[in-house]
Amino acid sequence: MLESSRKKLKLYTKVLGLCFSPCGQYLASVDSSGNISVFSIKDVLGPEATYQDYKPVLQFKGHDSIIYSALSTERFLLTGGLAEIKAWDWNHIMKVIHQQSSGAKDLKPSWVIEIPDFGSALDKPEINAIQYSVDDNQMVAGGGDSVVYIWDLEGGQLKDKLVGHTDYIHCLTLKNKGQEILTGSEDGSVRWWDVRSSGEPVNIIEPYKCQEVSRPDVGNWISCVGLDDAEDWLVCGGGPSTSLWHLRSLSLSSPLQTPGVYATQGLFYQDIVITGGSEPCLNHWTLTGTHKAQIPCSQQTVYTVSHNQGAEENQVLVCAGTSDKIDLFTNIGYKALSLEIY
């Protein structure tokens, strides 16, 4: 890579997705240049780690333009671009890494699914969110055309389309083993869908209509949704202040106030809620809404947070955004180091 090109990538890169390999020992990032980078967590945390270990062990062009989202399944790394989702076989990725060859140029997706009927090339919708239901072998995605798509991956067929949002979808999460879907949109709503019903949302939450969290000067959009392990609590945010909601009663439980800051990420981790957004830090909250800590990070805006909590060893939390750096936390109370994509 030419030095001038590398400098531009370092300056202008946005990392929009992070996820871990099935074993939890490799981290994949996707970025605004269409590149996929893979890091070895074991090497990074090894006793003899050097600066070079903080660089990708593999990097390849995944899409022609921005990659907006990424998700890991037991077999595939899924990446969402403009009107398409690609599946990259983790076994093939591992083979290229272990052979230490130039095989990255030969990496091809195992399959590609395209959004149907999007109109002209100028109307291609971005894929902002992808989730996967193991029990049904179904993939769910949403993005720029405001539609939720459900594919049966057994045959690669589009199974259903959920229509109801009036503006593009930023985020989604699955509930009840994929039988239910919660989506957050630019239209200001969190819509709760049951795929077994008629295709209409069974419930709608509109945080911007709640005085405790409404921020008209910031906006109405919802850019993050997350569920706790018991699936009783929802964290969501964006234009309105980030907030915790009790799903059974559909009631606001606790505002998580960060004045002037919008959230792009909200997730439950161990016994806390972690949020990130338009400030260079991650915020930690108790489940009762008390602000517990503010942890500095390298990005002016955080776009993605992920963890490998189920890994047998080297459990870490990572975040990335408006930088080519990926911050890694071995203890969630402080940043241990930063990986570098370019």
Side-chain angles (χ1 to χ4, degrees), residues 257-276:
Q257 301 285 3
T258 50
V261 175
Y262 64 83
T264 61
Q265 291 289 295
L267 68 153
F268 293 85
Y269 183 78
Q270 298 175 355
D271 60 345
I272 63 172
V273 178
I274 297 177
T275 61

Side-chain angles (χ1 to χ4, degrees), residues 106-280:
D106 301 322
L107 274 172
K108 304 293 183 184
S110 298
W111 47 261
V112 180
I113 285 179
E114 296 185 348
I115 298 294
D117 305 324
F118 56 76
S120 70
L122 296 176
D123 297 324
K124 285 186 177 182
E126 68 275 14
I127 305 298
N128 290 325
I130 309 171
Q131 291 290 340
Y132 173 70
S133 171
V134 177
D135 291 65
D136 299 324
N137 194 24
Q138 292 183 166
M139 180 176 66
V140 183
D145 61 358
S146 313
V147 177
V148 181
Y149 294 91
I150 304 173
W151 284 276
D152 176 6
L153 294 187
E154 185 68 30
Q157 301 299 312
L158 180 63
K159 182 179 179 181
D160 205 353
K161 293 166 61 175
L162 305 177
V163 180
H165 281 296
T166 58
D167 213 330
Y168 55 87
I169 295 168
H170 286 287
C171 50
L172 63 85
T173 190
L174 303 184
K175 187 179 188 296
N176 191 17
K177 296 183 178 180
Q179 297 299 307
E180 299 168 53
I181 307 167
L182 282 84
T183 54
S185 168
E186 186 74 11
D187 65 18
S189 70
V190 176
R191 296 188 180 236
W192 184 349
W193 314 82
D194 189 326
V195 300
R196 300 161 295 188
S197 66
S198 62
E200 297 292 327
V202 293
N203 286 299
I204 299 177
I205 299 172
E206 297 174 301
Y208 72 92
K209 292 184 178 180
C210 296
Q211 185 175 356
E212 298 94 326
V213 297
S214 177
R215 298 189 298 186
D217 57 321
V218 180
N220 296 339
W221 78 90
I222 298 296
S223 47
C224 62
V225 291
L227 294 175
D228 71 322
D229 290 340
E231 300 184 340
D232 291 329
W233 297 92
L234 166 74
V235 58
C236 64
S241 293
T242 311
S243 50
L244 291 174
W245 293 74
H246 185 240
L247 287 180
R248 292 185 184 180
S249 61
L250 294 178
S251 60
L252 173 65
S253 171
S254 303
L256 310 180
Q257 301 285 3
T258 50
V261 175
Y262 64 83
T264 61
Q265 291 289 295
L267 68 153
F268 293 85
Y269 183 78
Q270 298 175 355
D271 60 345
I272 63 172
V273 178
I274 297 177
T275 61
S278 59
E279 60 179 341

Side-chain angles (χ1 to χ4, degrees), residues 291-306:
H291 192 216
K292 190 174 181 180
Q294 188 174 71
I295 313 302
C297 57
S298 303
Q299 303 78 25
Q300 290 299 310
T301 297
V302 174
Y303 286 131
T304 177
V305 180
S306 187

